[in-house]
Short mmCIF file of all heavy atoms in Angstrom, two decimals:
data_model
loop_
_atom_site.label_atom_id
_atom_site.label_comp_id
_atom_site.label_asym_id
_atom_site.label_seq_id
_atom_site.Cartn_x
_atom_site.Cartn_y
_atom_site.Cartn_z
N ARG A 61 73.84 81.19 100.02
CA ARG A 61 73.18 81.03 101.31
C ARG A 61 72.94 82.40 101.91
O ARG A 61 73.83 82.98 102.55
CB ARG A 61 74.03 80.19 102.26
CG ARG A 61 74.26 78.78 101.77
CD ARG A 61 75.22 78.03 102.69
NE ARG A 61 75.45 76.69 102.23
CZ ARG A 61 76.34 75.86 102.78
NH1 ARG A 61 77.06 76.28 103.81
NH2 ARG A 61 76.51 74.65 102.30
N PRO A 62 71.76 82.97 101.72
CA PRO A 62 71.50 84.30 102.30
C PRO A 62 71.51 84.26 103.82
O PRO A 62 70.99 83.32 104.43
CB PRO A 62 70.11 84.66 101.74
CG PRO A 62 69.50 83.35 101.39
CD PRO A 62 70.62 82.45 100.97
N LYS A 63 72.09 85.30 104.43
CA LYS A 63 72.21 85.33 105.89
C LYS A 63 70.94 85.90 106.52
O LYS A 63 70.28 86.76 105.95
CB LYS A 63 73.40 86.18 106.30
CG LYS A 63 74.73 85.52 105.95
CD LYS A 63 75.88 86.28 106.56
CE LYS A 63 77.21 85.57 106.28
NZ LYS A 63 78.35 86.27 106.90
N ASN A 64 70.66 85.43 107.70
CA ASN A 64 69.51 85.90 108.47
C ASN A 64 70.03 86.51 109.77
O ASN A 64 70.54 85.80 110.64
CB ASN A 64 68.56 84.74 108.78
CG ASN A 64 67.38 85.18 109.60
OD1 ASN A 64 67.01 86.35 109.61
ND2 ASN A 64 66.76 84.24 110.29
N PHE A 65 69.91 87.85 109.90
CA PHE A 65 70.46 88.56 111.05
C PHE A 65 69.42 88.75 112.16
O PHE A 65 69.59 89.60 113.02
CB PHE A 65 71.00 89.93 110.62
CG PHE A 65 72.18 89.82 109.71
CD1 PHE A 65 72.14 90.35 108.44
CD2 PHE A 65 73.33 89.18 110.13
CE1 PHE A 65 73.22 90.24 107.60
CE2 PHE A 65 74.43 89.07 109.29
CZ PHE A 65 74.37 89.60 108.02
N ALA A 66 68.34 87.99 112.15
CA ALA A 66 67.34 88.07 113.22
C ALA A 66 67.92 87.45 114.49
O ALA A 66 69.02 86.89 114.50
CB ALA A 66 66.06 87.37 112.81
N ILE A 67 67.14 87.58 115.59
CA ILE A 67 67.59 87.05 116.87
C ILE A 67 67.75 85.54 116.77
O ILE A 67 66.83 84.84 116.33
CB ILE A 67 66.60 87.42 117.99
CG1 ILE A 67 66.55 88.93 118.17
CG2 ILE A 67 66.99 86.74 119.30
CD1 ILE A 67 65.48 89.40 119.11
N GLY A 68 68.91 85.08 117.17
CA GLY A 68 69.18 83.66 117.09
C GLY A 68 69.68 83.22 115.73
O GLY A 68 69.90 82.03 115.52
N GLY A 69 69.84 84.18 114.81
CA GLY A 69 70.30 83.85 113.48
C GLY A 69 71.81 83.93 113.35
O GLY A 69 72.56 83.56 114.25
N ASP A 70 72.24 84.46 112.21
CA ASP A 70 73.68 84.56 111.94
C ASP A 70 74.33 85.63 112.81
O ASP A 70 73.65 86.51 113.38
CB ASP A 70 73.91 84.89 110.46
CG ASP A 70 73.44 83.75 109.56
OD1 ASP A 70 73.72 82.60 109.92
OD2 ASP A 70 72.78 84.02 108.55
N VAL A 71 75.64 85.57 112.89
CA VAL A 71 76.40 86.54 113.67
C VAL A 71 76.34 87.91 112.99
O VAL A 71 76.47 88.01 111.76
CB VAL A 71 77.86 86.08 113.82
CG1 VAL A 71 78.67 87.09 114.62
CG2 VAL A 71 77.92 84.72 114.50
N GLN A 72 76.10 88.95 113.79
CA GLN A 72 75.98 90.29 113.24
C GLN A 72 77.31 90.76 112.65
O GLN A 72 78.39 90.39 113.14
CB GLN A 72 75.57 91.28 114.34
CG GLN A 72 74.19 91.02 114.91
CD GLN A 72 73.09 91.44 113.96
OE1 GLN A 72 73.30 92.27 113.09
NE2 GLN A 72 71.92 90.86 114.11
N PRO A 73 77.28 91.58 111.59
CA PRO A 73 78.54 92.08 111.01
C PRO A 73 79.23 93.07 111.94
O PRO A 73 78.60 93.68 112.82
CB PRO A 73 78.08 92.76 109.72
CG PRO A 73 76.66 93.15 109.98
CD PRO A 73 76.10 92.07 110.88
N LYS A 74 80.53 93.23 111.76
CA LYS A 74 81.30 94.15 112.59
C LYS A 74 80.95 95.59 112.24
O LYS A 74 80.90 95.95 111.07
CB LYS A 74 82.80 93.91 112.41
CG LYS A 74 83.27 92.61 113.03
CD LYS A 74 84.79 92.48 112.95
CE LYS A 74 85.26 91.20 113.62
NZ LYS A 74 86.73 91.06 113.54
N ARG A 75 80.75 96.41 113.27
CA ARG A 75 80.42 97.82 113.06
C ARG A 75 81.43 98.68 113.81
O ARG A 75 82.08 98.20 114.75
CB ARG A 75 79.01 98.13 113.56
CG ARG A 75 77.92 97.41 112.79
CD ARG A 75 76.54 97.81 113.30
NE ARG A 75 75.47 97.18 112.55
CZ ARG A 75 74.96 95.98 112.81
NH1 ARG A 75 75.45 95.28 113.81
NH2 ARG A 75 73.99 95.49 112.07
N ASP A 76 81.54 99.93 113.40
CA ASP A 76 82.45 100.86 114.07
C ASP A 76 81.78 101.37 115.34
O ASP A 76 80.87 102.20 115.30
CB ASP A 76 82.78 102.03 113.14
CG ASP A 76 83.83 102.95 113.73
OD1 ASP A 76 84.47 102.53 114.73
OD2 ASP A 76 84.02 104.07 113.23
N LEU A 77 82.22 100.87 116.48
CA LEU A 77 81.63 101.22 117.77
C LEU A 77 82.53 102.17 118.56
O LEU A 77 82.51 102.17 119.79
CB LEU A 77 81.37 99.95 118.60
CG LEU A 77 80.49 98.89 117.93
CD1 LEU A 77 80.41 97.66 118.80
CD2 LEU A 77 79.09 99.44 117.69
N THR A 78 83.31 102.98 117.86
CA THR A 78 84.26 103.87 118.53
C THR A 78 83.56 104.83 119.47
O THR A 78 84.03 105.10 120.58
CB THR A 78 85.07 104.65 117.48
OG1 THR A 78 85.61 103.72 116.54
CG2 THR A 78 86.20 105.42 118.14
N ARG A 79 82.42 105.36 119.03
CA ARG A 79 81.72 106.36 119.84
C ARG A 79 81.06 105.75 121.07
O ARG A 79 80.68 106.47 121.99
CB ARG A 79 80.68 107.08 118.99
CG ARG A 79 81.28 107.95 117.90
CD ARG A 79 80.20 108.68 117.14
NE ARG A 79 79.44 109.59 117.99
CZ ARG A 79 79.79 110.83 118.28
NH1 ARG A 79 80.92 111.30 117.82
NH2 ARG A 79 79.04 111.59 119.05
N TYR A 80 80.90 104.43 121.08
CA TYR A 80 80.23 103.78 122.20
C TYR A 80 81.20 103.08 123.15
O TYR A 80 80.77 102.46 124.11
CB TYR A 80 79.23 102.75 121.66
CG TYR A 80 78.26 103.34 120.66
CD1 TYR A 80 78.46 103.18 119.30
CD2 TYR A 80 77.17 104.09 121.08
CE1 TYR A 80 77.58 103.73 118.38
CE2 TYR A 80 76.29 104.64 120.17
CZ TYR A 80 76.50 104.46 118.83
OH TYR A 80 75.64 105.01 117.92
N VAL A 81 82.50 103.17 122.84
CA VAL A 81 83.49 102.49 123.66
C VAL A 81 83.82 103.35 124.89
O VAL A 81 84.00 104.57 124.77
CB VAL A 81 84.78 102.23 122.85
CG1 VAL A 81 85.88 101.68 123.74
CG2 VAL A 81 84.50 101.26 121.72
N LYS A 82 83.89 102.73 126.03
CA LYS A 82 84.34 103.41 127.23
C LYS A 82 85.85 103.24 127.31
O LYS A 82 86.36 102.19 127.69
CB LYS A 82 83.67 102.84 128.48
CG LYS A 82 83.99 103.65 129.74
CD LYS A 82 83.24 103.14 130.94
CE LYS A 82 83.56 103.99 132.17
NZ LYS A 82 82.87 103.50 133.38
N TRP A 83 86.57 104.30 126.91
CA TRP A 83 88.01 104.22 126.81
C TRP A 83 88.65 104.20 128.19
O TRP A 83 88.08 104.71 129.15
CB TRP A 83 88.55 105.40 126.01
CG TRP A 83 88.13 105.38 124.59
CD1 TRP A 83 87.10 106.06 124.04
CD2 TRP A 83 88.69 104.61 123.53
NE1 TRP A 83 86.97 105.78 122.70
CE2 TRP A 83 87.95 104.89 122.37
CE3 TRP A 83 89.76 103.72 123.46
CZ2 TRP A 83 88.25 104.30 121.15
CZ3 TRP A 83 90.06 103.15 122.23
CH2 TRP A 83 89.31 103.44 121.10
N PRO A 84 89.84 103.62 128.30
CA PRO A 84 90.54 103.62 129.59
C PRO A 84 90.84 105.03 130.07
O PRO A 84 90.82 106.00 129.30
CB PRO A 84 91.83 102.85 129.29
CG PRO A 84 91.54 102.06 128.07
CD PRO A 84 90.55 102.83 127.29
N LYS A 85 91.14 105.14 131.35
CA LYS A 85 91.35 106.45 131.96
C LYS A 85 92.54 107.17 131.33
O LYS A 85 92.47 108.38 131.09
CB LYS A 85 91.56 106.28 133.47
CG LYS A 85 91.51 107.58 134.26
CD LYS A 85 90.11 108.13 134.33
CE LYS A 85 90.03 109.36 135.21
NZ LYS A 85 88.68 109.92 135.25
N PHE A 86 93.62 106.44 131.06
CA PHE A 86 94.81 107.12 130.54
C PHE A 86 94.58 107.65 129.13
O PHE A 86 95.13 108.69 128.75
CB PHE A 86 96.02 106.17 130.58
CG PHE A 86 96.01 105.10 129.52
CD1 PHE A 86 96.70 105.28 128.34
CD2 PHE A 86 95.32 103.92 129.71
CE1 PHE A 86 96.71 104.30 127.36
CE2 PHE A 86 95.32 102.93 128.75
CZ PHE A 86 96.01 103.11 127.57
N VAL A 87 93.72 106.97 128.34
CA VAL A 87 93.40 107.47 127.00
C VAL A 87 92.57 108.75 127.11
O VAL A 87 92.80 109.72 126.37
CB VAL A 87 92.65 106.39 126.20
CG1 VAL A 87 92.20 106.94 124.86
CG2 VAL A 87 93.53 105.16 125.99
N GLN A 88 91.60 108.77 128.03
CA GLN A 88 90.79 109.98 128.22
C GLN A 88 91.66 111.15 128.67
O GLN A 88 91.48 112.28 128.20
CB GLN A 88 89.70 109.70 129.26
CG GLN A 88 88.69 108.65 128.83
CD GLN A 88 87.63 108.40 129.89
OE1 GLN A 88 87.38 109.26 130.74
NE2 GLN A 88 87.03 107.23 129.86
N VAL A 89 92.61 110.88 129.56
CA VAL A 89 93.49 111.95 130.05
C VAL A 89 94.35 112.48 128.91
O VAL A 89 94.55 113.70 128.78
CB VAL A 89 94.36 111.42 131.21
CG1 VAL A 89 95.45 112.42 131.57
CG2 VAL A 89 93.50 111.14 132.43
N GLN A 90 94.86 111.58 128.06
CA GLN A 90 95.68 112.02 126.93
C GLN A 90 94.89 112.94 126.00
O GLN A 90 95.39 113.99 125.57
CB GLN A 90 96.17 110.80 126.15
CG GLN A 90 97.29 110.03 126.83
CD GLN A 90 97.66 108.78 126.09
OE1 GLN A 90 97.00 108.42 125.10
NE2 GLN A 90 98.69 108.09 126.54
N ARG A 91 93.66 112.55 125.71
CA ARG A 91 92.85 113.34 124.76
C ARG A 91 92.45 114.69 125.37
O ARG A 91 92.48 115.72 124.68
CB ARG A 91 91.61 112.55 124.38
CG ARG A 91 91.94 111.31 123.55
CD ARG A 91 90.70 110.51 123.22
NE ARG A 91 91.05 109.37 122.37
CZ ARG A 91 90.19 108.46 121.97
NH1 ARG A 91 88.91 108.54 122.33
NH2 ARG A 91 90.56 107.45 121.20
N LYS A 92 92.11 114.68 126.65
CA LYS A 92 91.75 115.95 127.29
C LYS A 92 92.96 116.88 127.38
O LYS A 92 92.83 118.10 127.23
CB LYS A 92 91.18 115.68 128.67
CG LYS A 92 89.79 115.05 128.64
CD LYS A 92 89.29 114.72 130.04
CE LYS A 92 87.93 114.06 129.99
NZ LYS A 92 87.45 113.67 131.34
N LYS A 93 94.12 116.30 127.64
CA LYS A 93 95.34 117.11 127.73
C LYS A 93 95.65 117.75 126.38
O LYS A 93 96.06 118.92 126.32
CB LYS A 93 96.50 116.23 128.19
CG LYS A 93 97.80 116.99 128.34
CD LYS A 93 98.94 116.06 128.70
CE LYS A 93 100.26 116.82 128.70
NZ LYS A 93 101.40 115.92 128.98
N LYS A 94 95.47 116.98 125.30
CA LYS A 94 95.75 117.52 123.96
C LYS A 94 94.84 118.70 123.65
O LYS A 94 95.29 119.73 123.13
CB LYS A 94 95.56 116.41 122.93
CG LYS A 94 95.93 116.84 121.52
CD LYS A 94 95.73 115.72 120.54
CE LYS A 94 96.06 116.18 119.12
NZ LYS A 94 95.85 115.10 118.12
N ILE A 95 93.54 118.56 123.98
CA ILE A 95 92.60 119.66 123.72
C ILE A 95 92.93 120.86 124.60
O ILE A 95 92.87 122.01 124.17
CB ILE A 95 91.16 119.17 123.97
CG1 ILE A 95 90.78 118.11 122.93
CG2 ILE A 95 90.17 120.32 123.93
CD1 ILE A 95 89.47 117.42 123.20
N LEU A 96 93.32 120.58 125.86
CA LEU A 96 93.65 121.67 126.77
C LEU A 96 94.87 122.45 126.30
O LEU A 96 94.91 123.68 126.39
CB LEU A 96 93.90 121.10 128.18
CG LEU A 96 93.95 122.10 129.33
CD1 LEU A 96 92.60 122.79 129.49
CD2 LEU A 96 94.34 121.41 130.63
N LEU A 97 95.86 121.73 125.75
CA LEU A 97 97.06 122.40 125.25
C LEU A 97 96.75 123.25 124.01
O LEU A 97 97.43 124.24 123.75
CB LEU A 97 98.14 121.37 124.92
CG LEU A 97 98.78 120.66 126.12
CD1 LEU A 97 99.75 119.59 125.65
CD2 LEU A 97 99.48 121.65 127.02
N LEU A 98 95.73 122.85 123.25
CA LEU A 98 95.32 123.66 122.10
C LEU A 98 94.61 124.94 122.55
O LEU A 98 94.79 126.00 121.96
CB LEU A 98 94.40 122.86 121.18
CG LEU A 98 95.04 121.73 120.37
CD1 LEU A 98 93.96 120.95 119.65
CD2 LEU A 98 96.04 122.27 119.38
N ARG A 99 93.79 124.83 123.59
CA ARG A 99 92.99 125.97 124.03
C ARG A 99 93.82 126.99 124.81
O ARG A 99 93.69 128.19 124.60
CB ARG A 99 91.83 125.49 124.91
CG ARG A 99 90.90 124.49 124.23
CD ARG A 99 90.05 125.14 123.15
NE ARG A 99 89.17 124.16 122.55
CZ ARG A 99 89.49 123.43 121.49
NH1 ARG A 99 90.67 123.59 120.92
NH2 ARG A 99 88.64 122.57 120.98
N LEU A 100 94.67 126.52 125.72
CA LEU A 100 95.44 127.44 126.56
C LEU A 100 96.59 128.06 125.78
O LEU A 100 97.14 127.45 124.85
CB LEU A 100 96.00 126.69 127.78
CG LEU A 100 94.97 126.09 128.75
CD1 LEU A 100 95.68 125.33 129.83
CD2 LEU A 100 94.10 127.18 129.35
N LYS A 101 96.98 129.24 126.17
CA LYS A 101 98.14 129.89 125.56
C LYS A 101 99.42 129.33 126.19
O LYS A 101 99.54 129.28 127.41
CB LYS A 101 98.07 131.41 125.75
CG LYS A 101 97.00 132.06 124.88
CD LYS A 101 97.11 133.55 124.91
CE LYS A 101 96.11 134.19 123.94
NZ LYS A 101 96.21 135.66 123.94
N VAL A 102 100.34 128.92 125.33
CA VAL A 102 101.58 128.28 125.78
C VAL A 102 102.72 129.29 125.67
O VAL A 102 102.89 129.91 124.62
CB VAL A 102 101.89 127.03 124.92
CG1 VAL A 102 103.11 126.30 125.46
CG2 VAL A 102 100.68 126.11 124.89
N PRO A 103 103.51 129.47 126.72
CA PRO A 103 104.63 130.42 126.66
C PRO A 103 105.70 129.95 125.68
O PRO A 103 105.80 128.77 125.35
CB PRO A 103 105.15 130.45 128.10
CG PRO A 103 104.64 129.21 128.72
CD PRO A 103 103.35 128.88 128.06
N PRO A 104 106.53 130.87 125.19
CA PRO A 104 107.53 130.52 124.17
C PRO A 104 108.50 129.44 124.59
O PRO A 104 108.89 128.59 123.79
CB PRO A 104 108.24 131.85 123.91
CG PRO A 104 107.30 132.90 124.35
CD PRO A 104 106.52 132.32 125.48
N SER A 105 108.91 129.45 125.87
CA SER A 105 109.90 128.48 126.33
C SER A 105 109.38 127.05 126.25
O SER A 105 110.16 126.10 126.10
CB SER A 105 110.31 128.80 127.77
OG SER A 105 109.17 128.80 128.61
N LEU A 106 108.05 126.86 126.33
CA LEU A 106 107.46 125.54 126.20
C LEU A 106 106.97 125.26 124.79
O LEU A 106 106.99 124.11 124.34
CB LEU A 106 106.28 125.39 127.18
CG LEU A 106 106.60 125.53 128.67
CD1 LEU A 106 105.34 125.35 129.49
CD2 LEU A 106 107.66 124.55 129.11
N ASN A 107 106.57 126.32 124.09
CA ASN A 107 106.05 126.13 122.74
C ASN A 107 107.13 125.74 121.74
O ASN A 107 106.84 125.17 120.70
CB ASN A 107 105.36 127.43 122.28
CG ASN A 107 104.61 127.24 120.98
OD1 ASN A 107 103.81 126.31 120.85
ND2 ASN A 107 104.87 128.09 120.01
N GLN A 108 108.41 126.03 122.06
CA GLN A 108 109.48 125.71 121.13
C GLN A 108 109.68 124.20 120.95
O GLN A 108 110.24 123.75 119.95
CB GLN A 108 110.79 126.34 121.61
CG GLN A 108 111.28 125.80 122.94
CD GLN A 108 112.55 126.47 123.41
OE1 GLN A 108 113.27 127.06 122.61
NE2 GLN A 108 112.81 126.40 124.71
N PHE A 109 109.17 123.40 121.91
CA PHE A 109 109.34 121.96 121.80
C PHE A 109 108.34 121.33 120.84
O PHE A 109 108.41 120.12 120.60
CB PHE A 109 109.21 121.32 123.19
CG PHE A 109 110.39 121.58 124.07
CD1 PHE A 109 110.41 122.67 124.93
CD2 PHE A 109 111.50 120.77 124.03
CE1 PHE A 109 111.50 122.92 125.74
CE2 PHE A 109 112.60 121.00 124.83
CZ PHE A 109 112.60 122.09 125.68
N LYS A 110 107.40 122.11 120.30
CA LYS A 110 106.49 121.59 119.28
C LYS A 110 107.16 121.55 117.91
O LYS A 110 106.68 120.87 117.00
CB LYS A 110 105.23 122.45 119.21
CG LYS A 110 104.35 122.32 120.44
CD LYS A 110 103.07 123.11 120.29
CE LYS A 110 102.17 122.95 121.51
NZ LYS A 110 100.93 123.74 121.38
N THR A 111 108.26 122.29 117.75
CA THR A 111 109.02 122.28 116.49
C THR A 111 110.13 121.25 116.62
O THR A 111 111.07 121.45 117.39
CB THR A 111 109.60 123.67 116.20
OG1 THR A 111 108.56 124.64 116.22
CG2 THR A 111 110.29 123.69 114.86
N THR A 112 110.01 120.16 115.89
CA THR A 112 110.97 119.07 115.99
C THR A 112 111.70 118.89 114.65
O THR A 112 111.33 119.49 113.64
CB THR A 112 110.28 117.76 116.38
OG1 THR A 112 109.24 117.48 115.43
CG2 THR A 112 109.67 117.86 117.77
N ALA A 113 112.73 118.06 114.68
CA ALA A 113 113.52 117.81 113.48
C ALA A 113 112.70 117.03 112.45
O ALA A 113 111.79 116.27 112.80
CB ALA A 113 114.78 117.03 113.85
N ASP A 114 113.05 117.22 111.17
CA ASP A 114 112.36 116.50 110.11
C ASP A 114 112.61 114.99 110.22
O ASP A 114 113.56 114.54 110.87
CB ASP A 114 112.83 116.99 108.74
CG ASP A 114 112.49 118.44 108.51
OD1 ASP A 114 111.51 118.91 109.13
OD2 ASP A 114 113.19 119.09 107.72
N LYS A 115 111.75 114.24 109.55
CA LYS A 115 111.86 112.78 109.61
C LYS A 115 113.17 112.30 109.01
O LYS A 115 113.84 111.41 109.55
CB LYS A 115 110.67 112.16 108.87
CG LYS A 115 110.54 110.67 109.06
CD LYS A 115 109.30 110.17 108.37
CE LYS A 115 109.17 108.64 108.56
NZ LYS A 115 107.95 108.11 107.89
N SER A 116 113.57 112.89 107.88
CA SER A 116 114.81 112.47 107.22
C SER A 116 116.04 112.81 108.07
O SER A 116 116.97 112.01 108.20
CB SER A 116 114.92 113.12 105.84
OG SER A 116 114.90 114.54 105.96
N VAL A 117 116.02 114.02 108.66
CA VAL A 117 117.15 114.44 109.50
C VAL A 117 117.23 113.55 110.74
O VAL A 117 118.33 113.15 111.17
CB VAL A 117 117.00 115.92 109.90
CG1 VAL A 117 118.12 116.34 110.84
CG2 VAL A 117 117.00 116.80 108.67
N ALA A 118 116.07 113.24 111.34
CA ALA A 118 116.06 112.38 112.52
C ALA A 118 116.57 110.98 112.18
O ALA A 118 117.30 110.36 112.97
CB ALA A 118 114.65 112.30 113.09
N ALA A 119 116.23 110.48 110.99
CA ALA A 119 116.70 109.14 110.58
C ALA A 119 118.22 109.13 110.44
O ALA A 119 118.89 108.18 110.88
CB ALA A 119 116.03 108.74 109.27
N GLN A 120 118.79 110.18 109.84
CA GLN A 120 120.25 110.26 109.71
C GLN A 120 120.92 110.37 111.08
O GLN A 120 121.98 109.79 111.32
CB GLN A 120 120.63 111.47 108.86
CG GLN A 120 120.20 111.34 107.41
CD GLN A 120 120.43 112.62 106.62
OE1 GLN A 120 120.99 113.58 107.15
NE2 GLN A 120 120.02 112.62 105.37
#
Side-chain angles (χ1 to χ4, degrees):
R61 297 175 181 174
K63 291 188 176 182
N64 178 23
F65 294 120
I67 297 172
D70 295 317
V71 179
Q72 295 285 338
K74 289 186 178 180
R75 296 182 178 87
D76 186 13
L77 303 176
T78 308
R79 293 183 62 84
Y80 306 100
V81 173
K82 187 176 181 181
W83 294 97
K85 192 71 175 178
F86 74 96
V87 175
Q88 296 180 23
V89 170
Q90 285 175 354
R91 293 178 177 177
K92 289 176 182 178
K93 181 184 174 183
K94 184 180 178 181
I95 293 172
L96 193 64
L97 290 176
L98 289 174
R99 302 289 181 269
L100 297 177
K101 287 190 176 181
V102 185
S105 58
L106 299 180
N107 189 51
Q108 64 182 340
F109 287 93
K110 291 184 179 179
T111 305
T112 56
D114 296 335
K115 190 176 180 180
S116 58
V117 177
Q120 293 173 4

